[in-house]
Amino acid sequence: MKALLLLLLAQLCSASLVPEREKDPEYWRRQAQETLRNALRLQRLNQNVAKNLILFLGDGMGVSTVTAARILKGQLQHGQGEESLLEMEKFPYVALAKTYNTNAQVPDSAGTATAYLCGVKANEGTLGVSAGVTRDRCNTTKGQEVTSILRWAKDAGKAVGIVTTTRVTHATPSAAYAHSANRDWYSDGEMPPDALEGGCKDIARQLVENIPDIEVIMGGGRKYMFPKNASDVEYPHEEKHRGTRLDRRNLVQAWQEAKPPGKVAKYVWHRRELLALNLSRVDFLLGESRHPGVLQPQLGVLGGTPGLCWGSGRIDHGHHEGKAKQALHEAVELDRAIGLATRLTSAQDTLSVVTADHSHVFTFGGYTPRGNPIFGLAPMQSDVDRKPFTSILYGNGPGYKIVAGERENVSAVDFAHADYQAQSAVPLRQETHGGEDVAVFAQGPMAHLLHGVHEQNYIPHAMAYAACIGSNRAHCNAGARPAAPLLLPFLALLVLLC
């Protein structure tokens, strides 16, 4: 009898989770018919020349992260979550990208950035170079440099920018301008003697010298721009924030001095400085903060700037630490930026692409009921150790804990805390990337070129074709090509992503 009562109670609770309208078959039929009508409209392909390109890059934003972020977004809006839609999920075209590096089944952010920015697959840990370059081997670099879509845009007379929530010298954004045998050569202070003697340049120096006319650069990592032991403007008494450059150069000053006469180049390190600028009177903008989020502008603030490259890197950082709450909230912030960009542009002349460089070994499951809090417990206990478990889990990472010879009982900890590290199957100080394909969402001119399953390096070629830049221009009507600037917001970037 007791078992029967429990079963009836479970059925009643389960029924209450279903919205009333969803019990009517007509609700689902109407929804499907509306989706069909929208799909049929896509037969009229948008083959305009793209005046603007927007690449949003969610670092580490695999498909499971996208789904969990969708649920979180809906629950933050007081819904059950599953029925919610991310802004990127409203884009009409979706593809999958294969993320492997030329020498790695499970990739890193440098080799993948070279693929989706330069159109060439590369070895793990290398930036803006072909697979002929061996990591750490400076002497293999010469002649193996490859250019990015940012360079292709500049060569076509467009304006461009890089915005990231990570260091501007981090792997994800730096493939846009740098060529390096090691993604970690942020300044000459991080380079080995043989690389310096071999003539290889650090990434921060390349940011200033390789493409000196990037209109907007925003992110973190300013210590790599200043002489070794120079005090930080924001944290003058903290040694870890002091400058690292052995050549004693001030690259911010070098960046300003390299600008043509009559052009206004502004450097900011605080959000209030950014908001105080009259951007209509600024030709070049460099923003570097210890906490890149404080400089994170709304697209509206920078809307008057000719070009912008945008990325979201903290998704990756959250996952590496096993802190799913931080990763998923970052993904929702990225989605807010995508929505804002969509409202400020037109799909008639702006090709918007949202993708990830790679995935993570992040998952959620456990037969959770409809509307279960995304950071909550599964509704069951393990039938092996008789302990509860959270829906979110990692395949490996720092969340592996053994207490008194057994798996930790999560009911005894605050698993909803922002710093909670979800349980993992294998103990590692840092959780690893995942090897599965990532989604590519596209909207605007030639968005239909992004369909099916592609190699990751196909992405910039399709985008360049749409904008009539780079090598594929035979299809372009020279008289119809727009003179307006190219917009490249890419999130590895400032809500970005690395």
Side-chain angles (χ1 to χ4, degrees):
M1 177 61 72
K2 183 178 179 180
L4 179 59
L5 288 173
L6 288 173
L7 179 60
L8 289 173
L9 181 60
Q11 290 175 337
L12 285 171
C13 290
S14 177
S16 68
L17 297 176
V18 182
E20 199 62 33
R21 64 181 184 178
E22 294 184 13
K23 297 176 183 178
D24 182 358
E26 281 305 309
Y27 166 79
W28 298 106
R29 293 175 184 135
R30 287 193 301 270
Q31 184 194 69
Q33 288 300 312
E34 177 61 23
T35 303
L36 179 60
R37 287 191 291 271
N38 290 336
L40 289 170
R41 293 189 190 105
L42 296 179
Q43 293 182 99
R44 299 190 294 273
L45 298 179
N46 180 347
Q47 301 187 61
N48 297 338
V49 173
K51 182 174 73 173
N52 304 311
L53 298 180
I54 307 178
L55 175 58
F56 287 102
L57 192 284
D59 197 319
M61 190 177 68
V63 171
S64 57
T65 297
V66 171
T67 306
R70 174 204 309 152
I71 294 172
L72 174 59
K73 176 182 179 179
Q75 292 181 350
L76 289 172
Q77 296 171 344
H78 310 294
Q80 291 178 303
E82 296 84 3
E83 72 289 345
S84 181
L85 268 182
L86 294 170
E87 297 297 329
M88 67 187 84
E89 294 174 323
K90 298 175 185 177
F91 287 11
Y93 297 97
V94 182
L96 291 175
K98 298 190 284 184
T99 64
Y100 67 92
N101 296 151
T102 46
N103 66 340
Q105 186 179 76
V106 177
D108 90 313
S109 292
T112 52
T114 303
Y116 66 76
L117 289 174
C118 302
V120 173
K121 287 228 173 190
N123 289 330
E124 175 268 340
T126 64
L127 287 167
V129 291
S130 76
V133 173
T134 303
R135 185 170 185 170
D136 295 322
R137 297 282 299 278
C138 168
N139 61 1
T140 64
T141 306
K142 190 172 179 58
Q144 300 297 323
E145 299 90 349
V146 293
T147 57
S148 74
I149 190 171
L150 187 141
R151 164 55 73 187
W152 310 341
K154 291 305 301 183
D155 289 346
K158 307 296 186 180
V160 298
I162 297 170
V163 183
T164 176
T165 51
T166 66
R167 299 178 298 277
V168 294
T169 51
H170 195 278
T172 301
S174 60
Y177 59 83
H179 315 286
S180 180
N182 190 312
R183 58 175 286 177
D184 298 326
W185 291 349
Y186 304 123
S187 77
D188 58 351
E190 286 74 43
M191 296 177 67
D194 66 301
L196 293 173
E197 293 164 4
C200 284
K201 296 181 181 180
D202 63 87
I203 295 168
R205 181 179 170 188
Q206 292 188 61
L207 172 65
V208 172
E209 296 180 356
N210 285 7
I211 310 179
D213 52 351
I214 298 173
E215 280 77 7
V216 176
I217 304 168
M218 300 188 73
R222 64 173 173 251
K223 70 179 182 179
Y224 304 114
M225 308 286 281
F226 293 98
K228 187 172 179 62
N229 292 325
S231 296
D232 183 75
V233 63
E234 189 173 4
Y235 304 97
H237 304 299
E238 295 188 28
E239 187 173 348
K240 66 179 180 179
H241 298 315
R242 292 178 182 172
T244 65
R245 301 201 61 79
L246 300 178
D247 61 11
R248 311 300 300 170
R249 293 183 67 189
N250 180 329
L251 291 184
V252 171
Q253 182 179 339
W255 172 82
Q256 290 176 316
E257 292 174 349
K259 299 299 174 283
K263 296 294 184 180
V264 178
K266 290 290 186 178
Y267 171 73
V268 297
W269 60 269
H270 197 281
R271 184 174 182 271
R272 63 172 171 266
E273 293 181 317
L274 174 65
L275 296 179
L277 291 176
N278 182 345
L279 291 174
S280 65
R281 298 180 180 178
V282 176
D283 300 295
F284 299 94
L285 177 63
L286 171 61
E288 287 190 306
S289 172
R290 167 71 184 87
H291 305 287
V294 305
L295 286 176
Q296 178 183 328
Q298 296 294 330
L299 282 177
V301 175
L302 293 178
T305 335
L308 177 64
C309 186
W310 190 273
S312 177
R314 298 292 184 175
I315 299 169
D316 183 72
H317 292 171
H319 280 323
H320 277 309
E321 294 180 12
K323 298 176 181 178
K325 195 164 195 176
Q326 295 186 12
L328 295 184
H329 275 280
E330 175 79 0
V332 172
E333 285 301 304
L334 166 60
D335 198 60
R336 287 180 58 199
I338 295 168
L340 180 57
T342 301
R343 292 191 294 275
L344 291 174
T345 58
S346 167
Q348 289 304 304
D349 63 9
T350 300
L351 173 60
S352 299
V353 176
V354 183
T355 189
D357 48 353
H358 54 72
S359 185
H360 278 266
V361 291
F362 161 86
T363 188
F364 67 100
Y367 300 114
T368 47
R370 178 78 177 269
N372 198 71
I374 191 61
F375 303 115
L377 294 173
M380 56 192 289
Q381 293 185 342
S382 165
D383 57 5
V384 177
D385 64 12
R386 305 300 175 185
K387 290 187 175 68
F389 59 96
T390 56
S391 172
I392 286 175
L393 297 167
Y394 285 93
N396 57 51
Y400 180 94
K401 290 183 178 66
I402 297 296
V403 178
E406 297 182 349
R407 182 173 66 91
E408 182 180 48
N409 191 329
V410 295
S411 62
V413 299
D414 183 4
F415 53 79
H417 194 278
D419 289 328
Y420 174 71
Q421 294 176 309
Q423 291 184 339
S424 67
V426 176
L428 288 176
R429 289 188 179 91
Q430 289 275 301
E431 176 263 6
T432 73
H433 297 168
E436 71 270 25
D437 298 349
V438 296
V440 185
F441 304 90
Q443 171 179 273
M446 297 293 180
H448 54 278
L449 297 179
L450 291 161
H451 66 284
V453 180
H454 299 293
E455 294 286 0
Q456 193 171 36
N457 67 293
Y458 169 72
I459 294 171
H461 292 285
M463 296 181 71
Y465 183 94
C468 288
I469 61 174
S471 59
N472 291 315
R473 289 177 290 183
H475 65 290
C476 303
N477 180 338
R481 288 184 62 190
L486 187 76
L487 182 67
L488 268 167
F490 98 78
L491 263 126
L493 308 185
L494 235 140
V495 293
L496 273 225
L497 13 150
C498 304

